[in-house]
Amino acid sequence: MTAPNIETIVSLSKRRGFVYPASEIYGGLGSSWDYGPLGVELANNIKRSWWRWLVYERDDVEGLDSSIIQNRLVWKYSGHEQTFHDPLVDCRTCKERFRQDKLHDVACGNHPDKHPGETPDCSLTEAREFNLMFRTTLGAVSSDDDPAALAYLRPETAQGIFINFANVLNTSRRKLPFGIAQIGKAFRNEVTPGNFIFRTREFEQMEMEYFCRPEDAPRIHQEWIDGFQAWLASLGISAENLSLYEQSADELAHYAQRTVDIMYRFFPERDDESKQWDELMGIANRTDYDLRVHSKKPEDAEGKRINPDSTDDLSYFDPQTNERLYPYVIEPAVGVNRTLLAVMMDAYTEKTTDKGETRVILKLTPEMAPIKVAVLPLAKNNEGIVAMAKRLKQSLQPHMRTVYDDTGGIGKLYARQDEIGTPFCVTVDHDSLEDNAVTVRHRDTWEQERVSTDQLQEYLAARMG
Ligand code: GAP
C-alpha cells in the first residue's frame, strides 16, 4: 500500500512534525514549508545516502559546495538570463496567473473543481515568457534597479560545478571520466508552485555532473539512468511507482541533447493513469555546452570569442590521445524534497487492529527512519524501570538515533512510533530489572522478542540493514 494522495502526507507531516507550513503564525507564505524535527532527519538521511553512494562508495566522484550567489556573468553565459523562462498566462476573469504547460495541476480561481481553461468563463491570455530567476542586489546600493549590483539566487546547483571544473580537476588530479557532486538550495520564482513540497520556490537539489569523453556519453548516460533507479529502490521506493519518461525535443532544456526523467506516481488518486506521474528527477546529457560557454577560447563562425569575459579555458587535455577537448557531461539531478515526498508516500501503510481501529504505519527502511529505536518504560512511576530505560537510551544513542518516551500508555507509544516509521521499540518492564532483558517490538509485524540488554546493540545493529 502507498499513500492514497499527497494530502494524506501533508496531514501526517503536520501532525507528527515532518513538515510545517512556513510563516504559519503570520498566515503562511504560499508554497513555503519548514522541516520539523522528523523531516530534517529524513532529509538528512536521504542526502547522506546519496553522498555516501556517490562520493564515498565510488572512486570517481568528488564533492563540492559552491556559493548560492555567483557573479551575474555565470547566468549570462549559462543561458539562464536569456532562456530560463516559463510560459505565463493570465485569466482575465479570475485575475489569476498560471503556467501554461501545467494547467492541469492547478485549480481555476473561480471554480476550484476545474482547471484553468476548462469552463466557458475562463479567458486566458496568450502565453508570455517569465524568467524564473530570483533577483537581488549586492552591497549598499542606492537603487534596487542598479544593474551593476544585480545578482541572482542560483536556480540550479549545477553551474557552481561547471565553473569549478578546472579547480577540482587540478587539485584532485582527476582523469576522465569523473564526477563532481553537490547538494544545496536552489531558487526559482515558480509561476504556479504547489502540491505541498513537490514544487516550491526554494528547494534543495542533489546534482552530479559526470564528465566524460563525447563518444562515451550515450553509454554512461544509460548507466546513470539504471544506477539511479537502483538508488531510489534502495530508499524503499517500489519499482511499480517509478517510470521513465524520454523528453521530447521541444521539452528539452536549452543545454540538453537528451534527457530521461525518472517519474514517480505522485498522484495515484487520478483516474487517468497517464496523469498520475510527475518528475522525481532528470538525467540529462548536457554535451559540452556548459564547459564551452564558460571558456574564454571558443569562437563563433565569425571568429569572435563566444565568452569575452571568462579568464579560463575549461578544456581537458587527454594524455592518452594527446588531444585537448571539452568533456561531455551527464547530469543526474534530483530534488531532496521530491525524494522525501516519494519516500513518505511509498512507505505509508494502514493496518486495522483486532479492535477495528485504523493505524498508520510508515514502513521506512531503517536507513531512512528518522528515529531508529524508541526506548519505552512500561511503568513511568517505577524508578528502577525509568532509570534502566534512560541508561539504555544513552548507550544506544552513539550508535543509532534513539529516543526515550514515557508520555503515554504503551499502546499509544507504539502507535506513535509506527506512525513516524521507527523500526524498533524497546520496552523495559518489571521483569527487565530481574533478567536484564527487554522486549523488542518490530514495527511492520508487531512481533515481540525478548533480548538480553548485553546483546541489544548488536541485535539492533544487525537489523538496521
Ligand atoms: N541542473 C538541472 C536541473 O536543475 P531540473 O529538472 O530543473 O534540472 C532537477 O531540476 C530536480 O530538481 C527536479 O527533477 C526536481 O526533483 C527538483 N526541482 C526542480 N524544480 C523544483 C521545484 N520548484 N520544487 C521542488 N523541486 C524542484
Side-chain angles (χ1 to χ4, degrees):
M1 179 184 175
T2 55
N5 49 40
I6 290 181
E7 280 313 308
T8 308
I9 302 300
V10 177
S11 117
L12 171 64
S13 292
K14 175 88 202 289
R15 194 165 70 242
R16 300 311 319 276
F18 282 90
V19 183
Y20 312 118
S23 308
E24 202 179 6
I25 63 164
Y26 291 107
L29 175 69
S31 299
S32 290
W33 301 91
D34 294 338
Y35 289 72
L38 300 176
V40 66
E41 295 288 346
L42 177 51
N44 283 344
N45 292 342
I46 291 168
K47 290 186 268 186
R48 206 175 292 121
S49 166
W50 185 88
W51 193 268
R52 197 187 53 230
W53 174 54
L54 289 176
V55 182
Y56 298 165
E57 290 177 6
R58 297 178 63 99
D59 294 323
D60 57 355
V61 179
E62 301 282 353
L64 180 78
D65 186 13
S66 67
S67 286
I68 287 175
I69 299 176
Q70 299 278 355
N71 190 313
R72 179 187 163 190
L73 293 171
V74 170
W75 307 106
K76 173 178 172 184
Y77 288 104
S78 69
H80 284 80
E81 271 193 344
Q82 282 300 312
T83 56
F84 199 58
H85 302 302
D86 271 345
L88 182 75
V89 291
D90 290 293
C91 177
R92 298 181 190 93
T93 316
C94 73
K95 309 285 180 222
E96 294 209 10
R97 277 195 171 158
F98 306 103
R99 198 172 135 180
Q100 189 197 36
D101 56 336
K102 295 282 174 191
L103 293 179
H104 71 265
D105 280 355
V106 289
C108 162
N110 287 346
H111 304 276
D113 56 327
K114 300 274 181 206
H115 302 303
E118 271 194 338
T119 74
D121 37 306
C122 290
S123 168
L124 302 180
T125 60
E126 287 288 300
R128 62 184 191 285
E129 290 184 331
F130 173 75
N131 194 288
L132 298 185
M133 283 196 293
F134 273 104
R135 298 154 72 100
T136 187
T137 45
L138 298 185
V141 288
S142 48
S143 147
D144 282 352
D145 297 331
D146 184 348
L150 175 62
Y152 301 105
L153 303 188
R154 67 181 174 199
E156 62 169 12
T157 60
Q159 295 302 322
I161 297 180
F162 298 127
I163 59 173
N164 277 292
F165 171 73
N167 284 335
V168 177
L169 180 71
N170 296 333
T171 50
S172 64
R173 301 172 170 276
R174 286 285 175 183
K175 293 203 166 44
L176 292 185
F178 75 96
I180 304 178
Q182 168 158 238
I183 299 177
K185 290 267 174 129
F187 303 83
R188 295 182 192 174
N189 200 2
E190 298 280 1
V191 178
T192 36
N195 287 316
F196 189 37
I197 54 175
F198 179 81
R199 182 171 290 108
T200 50
R201 297 195 170 105
E202 172 181 345
F203 54 98
E204 200 164 15
Q205 291 186 314
M206 302 181 280
E207 296 199 291
M208 202 249 314
E209 309 301 323
Y210 195 81
F211 301 95
C212 61
R213 290 192 58 92
E215 64 273 23
D216 295 335
R219 172 183 54 80
I220 289 174
H221 195 182
Q222 191 55 49
E223 285 169 8
W224 283 115
I225 295 167
D226 298 342
F228 266 87
Q229 288 176 90
W231 177 72
L232 291 167
S234 80
L235 306 186
I237 301 177
S238 47
E240 68 191 29
N241 289 325
L242 293 173
S243 64
L244 296 181
Y245 177 76
E246 181 89 36
Q247 287 193 9
S248 61
D250 56 337
E251 290 170 312
L252 287 174
H254 60 277
Y255 49 72
Q257 185 183 77
R258 180 188 174 216
T259 299
V260 174
D261 290 334
I262 302 186
M263 314 286 275
Y264 181 74
R265 201 192 296 271
F266 284 108
F267 305 99
E269 74 280 13
R270 291 183 181 163
D271 293 335
D272 181 349
E273 222 257 333
S274 67
K275 296 213 165 83
Q276 294 179 355
W277 305 91
D278 214 326
E279 176 187 331
L280 172 56
M281 66 174 296
I283 306 171
N285 179 348
R286 292 182 78 128
T287 69
D288 57 1
Y289 175 88
D290 301 274
L291 292 181
R292 266 182 187 280
V293 296
H294 287 305
S295 287
K296 67 177 183 180
K297 280 199 180 149
E299 295 175 346
D300 62 17
E302 284 146 25
K304 274 212 256 148
R305 281 169 62 191
I306 57 170
N307 187 335
D309 293 307
S310 170
T311 59
D312 204 355
D313 183 48
L314 304 178
S315 61
Y316 170 84
F317 180 75
D318 190 328
Q320 262 157 7
T321 58
N322 270 336
E323 159 201 27
R324 190 161 274 287
L325 66 135
Y326 291 98
Y328 266 41
V329 176
I330 302 301
E331 174 195 66
V334 57
V336 174
N337 320 77
R338 282 188 196 178
T339 307
L340 185 143
L341 180 56
V343 164
M344 285 187 77
M345 287 185 79
D346 232 83
Y348 184 92
T349 315
E350 288 176 1
K351 185 166 169 171
T352 309
T353 64
D354 300 342
K355 293 181 191 152
E357 293 163 1
T358 304
R359 292 276 186 79
V360 171
I361 307 179
L362 208 53
K363 293 192 173 178
L364 297 170
T365 64
E367 187 193 12
M368 287 299 109
I371 311 285
K372 315 296 181 197
V373 185
V375 184
L376 314 171
L378 195 64
K380 71 171 180 182
N381 298 326
N382 182 314
E383 271 179 33
I385 290 179
V386 167
M388 186 172 174
K390 288 189 172 168
R391 254 195 334 270
L392 280 176
K393 190 268 166 186
Q394 292 302 334
S395 70
L396 291 172
Q397 181 51 59
H399 309 282
M400 54 198 84
R401 176 85 170 105
T402 308
V403 295
Y404 167 89
D405 192 3
D406 65 6
T407 58
I410 196 71
K412 200 170 213 170
L413 296 181
Y414 283 154
R416 272 193 213 155
Q417 295 300 330
D418 285 347
E419 208 182 10
I420 64 170
T422 307
F424 299 103
C425 287
V426 168
T427 307
V428 180
D429 55 25
H430 294 91
D431 290 344
S432 306
L433 302 176
E434 306 299 325
D435 65 1
N436 259 325
V438 288
T439 300
V440 176
R441 177 199 181 258
H442 297 249
R443 176 195 66 200
D444 297 349
T445 56
W446 294 356
E447 276 168 14
Q448 305 197 353
E449 279 180 85
R450 200 74 185 161
V451 179
S452 147
T453 53
D454 305 342
Q455 318 264 299
L456 185 62
Q457 185 204 318
E458 210 180 316
Y459 173 94
L460 293 168
R463 286 159 182 79
M464 285 299 159

